[in-house]
Amino acid sequence: MSKIKNICCIGAGYVGGPTMAVVAAKCPDIKVTIVDLNAQRIAAWNDENLDNLPVYEPGLDKIVAQARGRNLFFSTDVDKAIEEAEMIFISVNTPTKTYGLGKGKAADLKYIELCARQIAKVAKTDKIVVEKSTLPVRTAEAIKNILDNTGNGVKFQILSNPEFLAEGTAIEDLLNPDRVLIGGGTDTEGQEAIQALAEVYANWIPQERILTTNVWSSELSKLTANAFLAQRVSSINAMSELCEKTGADVNEVAKAIGMDSRIGPKFLKASVGFGGSCFQKDILNLVYIAKSYGLHEVADYWEQVIIMNDHQKRRFASSIVRTLYNTVSGKKIAFLGWAFKKDTNDTRESAAIYVADDLLFEQAGIAVFDPKVEKGQIYADVNYLGTRSEAQNEKGITVFADPYEACKDAHAIAVLTEWDEFKEYNWQHIFDNMKKPAFVFDGRNVLDGEKLREIGFVFQAIGK
Ligand code: UDX
Ligand code: ADP
């Protein structure tokens, strides 16, 4: 197979956008076109002002500036991009199903299927189709069936190339990944397709970090990696509750166990609960797959990771209510942070949404400040839960562009995201302008508790 010269990516979201921008920046000889049905999103990717890119990631603006207009293009013309490309990445959303069979657990593959049908309809030359979105095991088979049965008689090779980037560090993860995983067919054509994609990555990634497997191993490895990572967070969060009861400090426990080289220090930060578009979705999907094969013990084992995470979010909200003398009705609670982690504007499954929902049930007034999340997104997140009317949510939540304003006259502050800037605030000033006693609930263990107590705050942190 000759070298790839033209790549298209369907889906210009948090994964497709940054991933393909890096491919374009690192492979100036390959034309990369990222397409999306969402015209507003494409317009934002094409915005001259790089502050308006639809995805916030440190370093992304420089990468886009380097390649856009040279060999990186953003477009809504999906058919044209498919037709021209030799290799097509599918990077559309695969949310948890909200209806029918597998509701609340299985991944909804309708967007994937629509893409496959569109590729089949448009393609007039052989294509390599690459699954970038996280998918249930054996999805490649379904894609292949659609392509082969509805196509124009051209040949398709399906590869699985799951993306392991974490939001907030996407560019660093893409430039310098621990590994790149490519799964493909074991026959000659499958191996050639794997090789073609491996050559693209070889432009900047050392050969020994490019791992090739069969398609099913690759699909399942992605679900497994996310399940293991989420499990670590739930494990340390389970310990955080025990720490609070026993006088142990979860940071000290995490450090002590993390120095064991078999355990390692990463992913041991106790928190108000993990969020993000992947962990919950992928575990629910894993649980669904295990159950569908009759593996009930396997399913129950992984489901417990989600149960623990839900408990952690709920426990944080109820601890605020209990500490504020069992009522937050009519009280102002300031939220510092809304994104599911720092350095991103993504809020999908953010713990903040669920904590806010619980506190709204308790009739609290919530004042939100997040350095990167837009106001409309915050209302959209709580409205999506459908637990009360949009008017009630608007009444209950106020969004501020200034953290000091958000905290002014508040009875309590809750830290929901670990943004670095929170540590640097003038906490004396914040204290002076709050109702007394002034409470701080640190859901991320980022603030200096000793200093805050000296100022006069009543300070509580996860796992202490
Ligand atoms: C995750 C995987 O890390 C990545 O490999 C995969 O491609 C997509 O899913 P992401 O969801 O972007 O990435 O972020 P991640 O850093 O994994 O954090 C997920 C959630 O866990 C966040 O809410 C984060 O705050 C939380 N977390 C993480 C903790 O609470 N404690 C930790 O120690 C680590
Ligand atoms: P992720 O985090 O996986 O990147 P996002 O939801 O951020 O998920 O992005 C997925 C993108 O895929 C969205 O911008 C959506 O508009 C786009 N998309 C979904 N289906 C199609 C399709 N059939 N053709 C083109 N774009 C699509």
Side-chain angles (χ1 to χ4, degrees), residues 48-83:
E48 270 182 36
N49 182 350
L50 292 166
D51 290 340
N52 294 337
L53 296 182
V55 169
Y56 173 73
E57 276 295 339
L60 176 62
D61 48 356
K62 283 197 192 72
I63 294 283
V64 171
Q66 189 184 337
R68 197 175 59 183
R70 177 188 75 183
N71 64 326
L72 172 64
F73 303 93
F74 296 92
S75 162
T76 50
D77 195 343
V78 182
D79 285 357
K80 180 164 175 269
I82 291 175
E83 210 177 326

Side-chain angles (χ1 to χ4, degrees), residues 153-173:
V154 299
K155 280 199 189 139
F156 295 103
Q157 280 300 322
I158 320 293
L159 299 179
S160 159
N161 173 221
E163 187 45 64
F164 294 103
L165 69 80
E167 288 175 30
T169 52
I171 300 303
E172 181 48 36
D173 295 344

Side-chain angles (χ1 to χ4, degrees), residues 16 128 133 254 332 372 432:
I128 298 172
S133 315
K332 178 177 176 181
K372 289 288 172 199
D432 293 342

